Amino acid sequence: MAMPQQDTDTIRAFQGLEDSRSSVRLRAALAVGTTPDPRFIDKLIERCAIEPEFHVRDMLTWALTRHSASMTVPELLNEVRSERAQARSQALHTLSKIGDRQAWPAITRALLSDADDEVARSAWRAAVVLVPEGEEPELAAVLSTQLGRGEREMQLSLSRALIALGEVILPTLRAAMTDLDPRVRAHAVATERLLRDPDAGFEFAIEEAKRVVALGRTSQEE
């Protein structure tokens, strides 16, 4: 007895998601997203945690967004508590793409300050998408504890997250401008400059901020 075509396609897609060739995995994720099927949700999430190729992970996330949020969000919330950093990071990234604010309680202070840079960056992006109206100042205060962290790309990610919250970040930034750590002060100054002038490059803003900090001045004093 011949196997129904739908079942054959399902088996082929499952196998494709585990293929050793990234091009095959990419096509399989595209196929699953094009024709969503709840049977694939667990497999897509499982692959997100271990997939080595960025472009394939992005397609896996896209495929998950094509399924019902009521089915994907609970599974993704389990993943943000995973011991595997990539599982946490990709789950947070996917939650930010789905945009269901029921996921907000899972964006904990621990995730926003996760020791793994990619997890922290994903948490920042998810937080500014999911934060309920009125809770932006509290989120800004938590995010400000990460000012000065990492190198350029890390700092730019945090600045972008803060700026996405709007002018509610200003009191928090100005408090950070008095921090004992010059890296924190410079990052706060640069973020405020970018908030004022979104077209200014981050490199220029951070270098200017370093000069301001070295001279012992902030925008409050200028």
Side-chain angles (χ1 to χ4, degrees):
M1 182 176 174
M3 184 178 293
Q5 182 62 41
Q6 185 177 14
D7 289 342
T8 302
D9 292 343
T10 299
I11 291 170
R12 185 180 297 117
F14 266 103
Q15 293 173 337
L17 289 171
E18 296 184 337
D19 196 276
S20 61
R21 294 162 294 179
S22 63
S23 59
V24 175
R25 299 196 302 276
L26 183 69
R27 288 197 299 273
L30 174 61
V32 172
T34 302
T35 311
D37 184 329
R39 290 177 295 177
F40 283 103
I41 291 173
D42 286 346
K43 173 58 70 174
L44 291 169
I45 292 175
E46 175 189 313
R47 283 304 310 177
C48 280
I50 59 176
E51 172 56 51
E53 299 292 337
F54 169 80
H55 61 289
V56 179
R57 290 199 302 273
D58 222 35
M59 188 65 77
L60 292 167
T61 281
W62 174 78
L64 282 165
T65 67
R66 297 273 295 159
H67 291 77
S68 169
S70 65
M71 301 186 76
T72 57
V73 169
E75 299 300 322
L76 291 165
L77 293 180
N78 288 332
E79 286 294 284
V80 301
R81 296 188 288 271
S82 172
E83 293 184 3
R84 185 188 290 268
Q86 183 173 304
R88 299 196 301 278
S89 175
Q90 200 64 24
L92 287 163
H93 174 64
T94 305
L95 287 169
S96 74
K97 294 297 183 182
I98 294 171
D100 187 332
R101 287 188 169 176
Q102 292 184 64
W104 168 247
I107 312 299
T108 61
R109 181 182 288 264
L111 284 171
L112 293 168
S113 58
D114 198 284
D116 185 276
D117 286 351
E118 288 307 310
V119 174
R121 291 172 71 180
S122 295
W124 301 341
R125 289 191 290 264
V128 299
V129 170
L130 301 174
V131 62
E133 187 175 352
E135 294 191 33
E136 294 90 348
E138 184 178 349
L139 174 58
V142 176
L143 291 177
S144 72
T145 66
Q146 303 302 296
L147 286 166
R149 175 176 173 175
E151 301 305 321
R152 180 189 180 282
E153 286 303 317
M154 191 71 177
Q155 293 192 10
L156 178 56
S157 290
L158 182 60
S159 291
R160 284 173 172 162
L162 283 164
I163 290 167
L165 297 175
E167 294 201 355
V168 298
I169 68 173
L170 287 172
T172 298
L173 289 180
R174 285 168 184 160
M177 290 175 194
T178 65
D179 196 275
L180 295 175
D181 187 338
R183 282 174 59 87
V184 172
R185 298 201 301 274
H187 194 182
V189 171
T191 303
E192 187 194 37
R193 296 291 165 90
L194 285 175
L195 177 65
R196 289 178 175 178
D197 182 9
D199 294 328
F202 183 73
E203 204 69 55
F204 172 79
I206 198 70
E207 290 305 319
E208 182 183 15
K210 287 176 182 177
R211 288 194 295 272
V212 168
V213 168
L215 291 169
R217 295 181 293 113
T218 68
S219 60
Q220 294 169 290
E221 299 166 334
E222 291 174 357

